[in-house]
Amino acid sequence: MIARPTTHRWHNENDIKVVALGGGHGLAASLSALRRLPTDLTGIVTVADNGGSSGRLRDELGVLPPGDLRMALAALCGDDEWGRTWADVLQHRFSSEGALHGHAVGNLLIAAIWDLLGDHVSGLDLVGQLLGAQGRVLPMAAVPLSIDADVRLHASPEEITHISGQVEVATVDGHVLGVHLEPSDPPACPEAVAALDAADWVVIGPGSWFTSVLPNLLVPGLRAALGRTSAKRILVLNLGEQKGETSGFSPENHLEVLASHAPELQLDYVLVDLVLHDGSKSLAAAAKALGAELIAADIAMAPGSAQHDPLRLASAFHQIMVQA
């Protein structure tokens, strides 16, 4: 039998208040890194997924898509036996010939608790307590959202096409020109706004640029909080282009797109992998245009990997936060 921890890590007044924004594997990497530091940690998660298990639950039950929230909670599980076991349980997917095929256990658990409590935030807090999560997970908005995009398709580059849906935008065979949310003025999660107002540090990215990173900046309440918070802001760049969504993008392109979608947003640091940095003056200039200092560090899982290493990322975060 696995022994449940008898104590939890209580935050103290010396802990750094950190808020990380994003979704999917990128946000999970940041949270997994940040929970290793003495932080009072909150993850704010995009809620626009319309595919797979999340999309099915969203359509059938009218709830927020739970998938990215589940991944964030799993990333906050501890490294003891209890935490590792619950992380595996949350991420386990059924494989069958029936209706359960493809559903993640964590998605069903979260949806069930929401159904019982009738409140998204209270439900996520309860799941976090069950897991012994080393931080809090919140949705970026109080309602499910759709991501819409203007795209120049490779098959017809002379035309600009409008597409709708997170999955559709993420996999489009074309050049994404810009994204917006539907509804365009969604209510921000009040607890997420409060976390940003109280933060010492805000971490944005990495992740799918148009469908995980930028959507948080398009929620008016979060955007306003990002503008007024006294927290220092770190942007973590992806380790390369993402097929479909950011095909052909350089690191500079990622910064240019962010600036075009949130022109008033100022950053303090842009964190990039050493291999991508390569002494690039243009990348440093693009960071400076956002008010940021460019920091290069070894943060990839391995040379050429598309995944960030949580331990290396934790070391980079620590160096930035200590030196600031």
Side-chain angles (χ1 to χ4, degrees):
M1 177 172 296
I2 301 168
R4 178 170 182 161
T6 56
T7 59
H8 297 288
R9 181 184 178 280
W10 295 103
H11 299 297
N12 63 61
E13 61 182 14
N14 295 320
D15 284 346
I16 305 168
K17 292 182 173 63
V18 181
V19 175
L21 299 95
H25 294 284
L27 177 60
S30 286
L31 293 176
S32 184
L34 289 163
R35 71 172 171 81
R36 291 171 162 84
L37 305 179
T39 58
D40 181 350
L41 180 58
T42 301
I44 299 178
V45 184
T46 185
V47 286
D49 192 1
N50 67 327
S53 171
S54 285
R56 289 157 62 190
L57 291 169
R58 170 180 175 164
D59 291 342
E60 184 172 345
L61 303 177
V63 296
L64 298 177
D68 283 359
L69 295 159
R70 178 200 84 241
M71 291 181 65
L73 284 164
L76 290 175
C77 286
D79 294 320
D80 57 2
E81 188 178 10
W82 182 270
R84 291 192 301 270
T85 299
W86 270 110
D88 289 342
V89 170
L90 285 185
Q91 301 288 48
H92 177 76
R93 288 187 184 272
F94 292 102
S95 178
S96 72
E97 299 297 326
L100 277 177
H101 179 72
H103 271 306
V105 172
N107 289 356
L108 298 176
L109 174 64
I110 292 168
I113 290 177
W114 282 343
D115 197 36
L116 288 169
L117 297 185
D119 180 77
H120 288 110
V121 171
S122 296
L124 291 168
D125 285 343
L126 182 58
V127 176
Q129 291 173 25
L130 171 66
L131 306 177
Q134 298 174 19
R136 193 182 193 193
V137 171
L138 297 169
M140 72 175 185
V143 297
L145 302 175
S146 175
I147 296 175
D148 296 349
D150 295 318
V151 179
R152 197 181 301 278
L153 296 175
H154 292 150
S156 53
E158 70 284 353
E159 298 179 6
I160 295 177
T161 303
H162 181 80
I163 60 174
S164 181
Q166 183 269 335
V167 173
E168 291 74 14
V169 174
T171 58
V172 67
D173 184 19
H175 179 64
V176 179
L177 303 176
V179 292
H180 59 275
L181 299 177
E182 181 59 42
S184 60
D185 189 15
C189 172
E191 292 83 356
V193 172
L196 285 169
D197 283 337
D200 299 310
W201 289 86
V202 174
V203 175
I204 304 170
S208 300
W209 217 244
F210 285 106
T211 55
S212 290
V213 176
L214 292 180
N216 285 279
L217 308 180
L218 301 180
V219 177
L222 294 185
R223 191 165 171 168
L226 279 168
R228 68 174 176 261
T229 183
S230 61
K232 291 186 178 296
R233 305 163 185 87
I234 304 172
L235 177 74
V236 184
L237 280 172
N238 289 346
L239 296 171
E241 62 185 76
Q242 182 177 345
K243 185 178 180 182
E245 191 165 322
T246 54
S247 292
F249 269 42
S250 66
E252 292 91 328
N253 292 148
H254 286 78
L255 295 182
E256 291 162 1
V257 164
L258 183 138
S260 69
H261 283 77
E264 75 285 2
L265 179 65
Q266 289 289 289
L267 302 171
D268 294 281
Y269 301 94
V270 171
L271 179 59
V272 62
D273 186 66
L274 277 171
V275 174
L276 287 179
H277 177 232
D278 197 27
S280 171
K281 292 183 179 179
S282 60
L283 179 56
K288 187 176 181 180
L290 291 166
E293 177 185 350
L294 183 66
I295 303 291
D298 182 10
I299 53 177
M301 190 74 73
S305 173
Q307 292 184 317
H308 291 78
D309 182 280
L311 292 177
R312 292 173 176 172
L313 201 53
S315 177
F317 285 144
H318 180 262
Q319 289 298 316
I320 293 172
M321 293 176 183
V322 166
Q323 293 174 6

